[in-house]
Amino acid sequence: MKRIHIAIALVTIAAVTALAVGIGGVLAQDGGDGSDDGDGTEFTYQGDITAPEFPLDADWINTSAPVRLSDLRGKIVLLDFWTYGCINCMHVIPDLKRLEAEYSDVLVVIGVHSAKFTTEGETENIRRVVQRYGVTHPVLNDRDFVTWSEYSVHAWPTFVLIDPFGKIVGQLSGEPLYPRIAPIIATMAEEYGAAGLLSTEPLPQAQPESSAETADTPLRFPGKVLADPAGDRLFIADSGHNRIVITTLDSFEVLDVVGNGNEGMTDGDFAEAQFNFPQGMELVGNTLYVADTENHAIRAVDLDARTVTTVAGTGKQGFDRLRHGPGTEIDLNSPWDLVAHGDQLYIAMAGIHQLWVYDLASGDVGPYAGSGREALTDGRLKQAGMNQPSGIDTDGERLYFADPEASAVRTASLDPDGRVETIVGTGLFDFGDRDGVGNEALLQHVQGITVADDGVLYVADTYNHKIKRIDPATRESVTLAGTGEPGLADGDAASAQFYEPGGLDYADGKLYVADTNNHAIRVVDLAGGTVRTVEFANEARLSGAADAASAESDTIAAPAELPEGAILQPAQTVGVGEGTLVINANIPEGYKLNDAAPFTAIWDDNPLVQIPADSNPYREVKPHLPVEIPANFAEGQTELVLNLTVYWCEAVNQALCFVDRSVLVVPLTVSAESDNHSVQLERELVPPSVDNTLN
């Protein structure tokens, strides 16, 4: 929970029944006690104090006109006081959506956005966040804390409940929301509804804003990036599309897409897997670990098997700050970023203000550093206070993490007996945009951090729309790129513009930046001092992501009509000239290729793919898999068709043998810009069921 100031007492109402007593300190506008409302009928939850009116000159989002309290008569009204950098405020959005769905006719939620940070007070920035998180109810920009003060609010998030007569019933602060307030709203809906006092007419001003401007962008609010120079890959958390995008590191050719774009928590192959606003990633071997933030989980992406599994988290938000145990049995709380060292995967656990660790060998997970108390307090690992850690990296000697709610950059020892120390940052409400050394420097809600080869830190100074360079030894912080004004401008680093960048990663003298509100990936060349925006070599492969519910997420363009029974392969891009066709049959455990029958591959004629005559058809008994066949590629787009026959048997005594005949179709782009020279084809073999009908 966020506090507006340390010196102000926090209003916490733990008991649900406390809502019935109203809010002390809120003055009635008309002096009435509400006793005449409802013809003297008494209700379990009924207010006495008239709710203060909204400011006349405030900006509104998701409405066609300002909302007045008189417009809300006959409705149960829930005011949500929030600020968009607050992780606790983000956590209750699903609760609000659930309540709105369950009481759609009689409940109106009004978001009152009272900004902590300067950047959060700008209406356009709030609008972007409303789109990012799919908030559709009316939102008031309370940038001057007028409504906050009128309702005597002291903390984020706080919820004020108003009855159908416009009287304040009471308030709750903190999270979770749903289990505490749902019984109250249910009672109000039943009692006021039975009395005929509820209106089911929709709010006339309600007009959820379309996010059409981002619907067709290749990416939508990307949160984090991970560079893999050894594998020539860039991993992008395409957070708003609930998926991971994999491209080449230099040409930005889309190699693969992990996840079908639907919000959910489903394990399986790349096409069926689902994420919910994924953020940070880490590569260990050829397994990509993903902080699946809004699923409160860590997911493992096997890049060889092309599968996604959940290795930590249950899908439920956890509040236990002490528990260790098997990963899939422990509730996590908004994991935001990851970094590995040895066999340990360290987690920036934003939602519970701690660093956690997942043991890659044992699969156990639990707290590593941080008491769970939100504070900028240094000290021994378990005693230090943290503030929504959202970025993490290591130089092999210590962990570095971004602590956004304190606008701080901090370090934690890799020695379990070590300490947490602060490099830049002085307090929860000390923020700004000032270069300097140590306590002289100011950041604003820094969310991303990476360590360069020379040990220098680069951070995404998110709310300042900048990239900054920090020397951990001298504690000097200087602006590297960005003017401080939100925008999208390339060129010289000093004049370049970003818009709330959320993550970045260093590789080979370059910074790869997730420029979140620009829905873009930017590249900062450290030697040249320039910034450029990534253009994907095969952008069409990412199109339509927002409507990917029923489409193959990693298909460029499916053939208009597949051969009967054909199996569509992932769309691929290959370079012009000599290359290789790679065929693999994935044989389940306990089975093998037939010792006597040939593995056969026959290619349909294709004007863009020329295969030597002695390789088409290809026939060989028990070949070494995968099979590689030479080919020559000409520029253009096509569908490559393979007719594959595989004979296979039980491995031990070959009591049963099978034949699998399949047609594999690959949507293929041949481009001179691609440095990929192989086309991959996969066939999963599944043992058929055999019915013995004779005894």
Side-chain angles (χ1 to χ4, degrees), residues 70-76 105-106 163-166 197-200:
S70 58
D71 302 328
L72 303 174
R73 292 299 174 91
K75 297 288 188 182
I76 301 167
D105 291 340
V106 297
D163 69 22
F165 306 120
L197 297 172
L198 291 179
S199 169
T200 59

Side-chain angles (χ1 to χ4, degrees), residues 68 97 198 252 362 467 475:
R68 313 303 298 155
K97 290 181 179 180
L198 291 179
F252 305 105
S362 71
I467 307 301
R475 301 177 62 203

Side-chain angles (χ1 to χ4, degrees), residues 152-218:
S152 293
V153 174
H154 299 282
W156 298 284
T158 290
F159 310 95
V160 176
L161 190 62
I162 301 173
D163 69 22
F165 306 120
K167 307 290 185 179
I168 295 173
V169 177
Q171 75 171 218
L172 286 172
S173 294
E175 57 168 320
L177 171 64
Y178 185 87
R180 294 188 292 161
I181 205 166
I184 298 169
I185 294 177
T187 299
M188 293 179 70
E190 180 180 354
E191 293 182 355
Y192 286 100
L197 297 172
L198 291 179
S199 169
T200 59
E201 293 297 318
L203 184 66
Q205 298 97 319
Q207 185 175 305
E209 297 189 13
S210 170
S211 56
E213 65 183 77
T214 64
D216 296 327
T217 56

Side-chain angles (χ1 to χ4, degrees), residues 64 99 155 193 316 356 399 438 487 526 531 542 634 637 641 646 665 668:
S64 59
L99 291 167
K316 298 178 180 178
W356 281 41
L399 299 169
L526 297 177
V531 177
L542 299 177
Q637 285 193 320
V641 179
V646 182
V665 179
L668 185 64

Side-chain angles (χ1 to χ4, degrees), residues 582-607:
V582 181
I583 311 168
N584 195 25
N586 296 312
I587 302 174
E589 185 176 356
Y591 296 84
K592 65 177 184 178
L593 290 175
N594 192 305
D595 294 334
F599 179 100
T600 303
I602 303 174
W603 303 90
D604 284 7
D605 290 340
N606 192 299

Side-chain angles (χ1 to χ4, degrees), residues 151-465:
Y151 283 85
S152 293
V153 174
H154 299 282
W156 298 284
T158 290
F159 310 95
V160 176
L161 190 62
I162 301 173
D163 69 22
F165 306 120
K167 307 290 185 179
I168 295 173
V169 177
Q171 75 171 218
L172 286 172
S173 294
E175 57 168 320
L177 171 64
Y178 185 87
R180 294 188 292 161
I181 205 166
I184 298 169
I185 294 177
T187 299
M188 293 179 70
E190 180 180 354
E191 293 182 355
Y192 286 100
L197 297 172
L198 291 179
S199 169
T200 59
E201 293 297 318
L203 184 66
Q205 298 97 319
Q207 185 175 305
E209 297 189 13
S210 170
S211 56
E213 65 183 77
T214 64
D216 296 327
T217 56
L219 305 176
R220 189 171 192 270
F221 298 109
K224 299 288 185 184
V225 289
L226 176 69
D228 171 31
D232 185 31
R233 292 176 294 191
L234 181 69
F235 300 94
I236 303 167
D238 190 7
S239 308
H241 284 144
N242 303 302
R243 64 183 185 174
I244 305 299
V245 173
I246 308 172
T247 77
T248 57
L249 194 58
D250 294 323
S251 65
F252 305 105
E253 173 195 346
V254 178
L255 301 175
D256 226 327
V257 177
V258 186
N260 63 19
N262 295 322
E263 178 183 307
M265 188 176 174
T266 302
D267 290 343
D269 63 32
F270 284 10
E272 65 185 358
Q274 293 178 322
F275 299 88
N276 191 354
F277 217 75
Q279 290 284 332
M281 300 157 289
E282 178 65 313
L283 188 65
V284 180
N286 215 25
T287 298
L288 181 74
Y289 292 91
V290 179
D292 194 5
T293 303
E294 295 198 11
N295 276 327
H296 309 291
I298 306 299
R299 317 289 292 280
V301 179
D302 187 322
L303 297 170
D304 293 323
R306 296 175 52 79
T307 58
V308 177
T309 57
T310 301
V311 296
T314 65
K316 298 178 180 178
Q317 183 184 358
F319 297 94
D320 193 328
R321 293 171 167 82
L322 301 175
R323 187 183 176 197
H324 287 256
T328 53
E329 298 178 9
I330 303 293
D331 297 335
L332 308 184
N333 196 324
S334 290
W336 210 278
D337 202 8
L338 307 171
V339 69
H341 178 69
D343 59 358
Q344 304 296 299
L345 182 70
Y346 295 92
I347 307 166
M349 197 72 74
I352 208 165
H353 313 298
Q354 291 179 309
L355 303 183
W356 281 41
V357 62
Y358 172 77
D359 189 297
L360 294 168
S362 71
D364 286 350
V365 70
Y368 177 75
S371 65
R373 181 170 61 93
E374 187 174 12
L376 186 65
T377 306
D378 291 344
R380 297 181 64 84
L381 289 178
K382 296 294 177 63
Q383 298 170 351
M386 299 179 185
N387 310 271
Q388 202 173 304
S390 301
I392 191 169
D393 203 359
T394 184
D395 61 359
E397 297 182 2
R398 58 180 61 85
L399 299 169
Y400 296 96
F401 64 97
D403 215 19
E405 280 296 286
S407 299
V409 172
R410 308 178 72 189
T411 180
S413 175
L414 285 168
D415 180 351
D417 295 323
R419 295 174 55 85
V420 171
E421 305 286 353
T422 299
I423 299 172
V424 173
T426 57
L428 269 165
F429 293 89
D430 299 332
F431 57 86
D433 184 7
R434 186 170 69 207
D435 292 348
V437 177
N439 293 349
E440 296 176 357
L442 292 176
L443 308 171
Q444 188 180 184
H445 208 270
V446 55
Q447 289 186 351
I449 190 167
T450 185
V451 185
D453 293 338
D454 58 1
V456 169
L457 308 178
Y458 294 94
V459 301
D461 192 3
T462 306
Y463 287 1
N464 283 327
H465 317 293

Side-chain angles (χ1 to χ4, degrees), residues 96-113:
L96 293 170
K97 290 181 179 180
R98 181 177 176 183
L99 291 167
E100 289 176 293
E102 292 177 356
Y103 301 97
S104 58
D105 291 340
V106 297
L107 174 69
V108 173
V109 176
I110 302 290
V112 182
H113 190 277

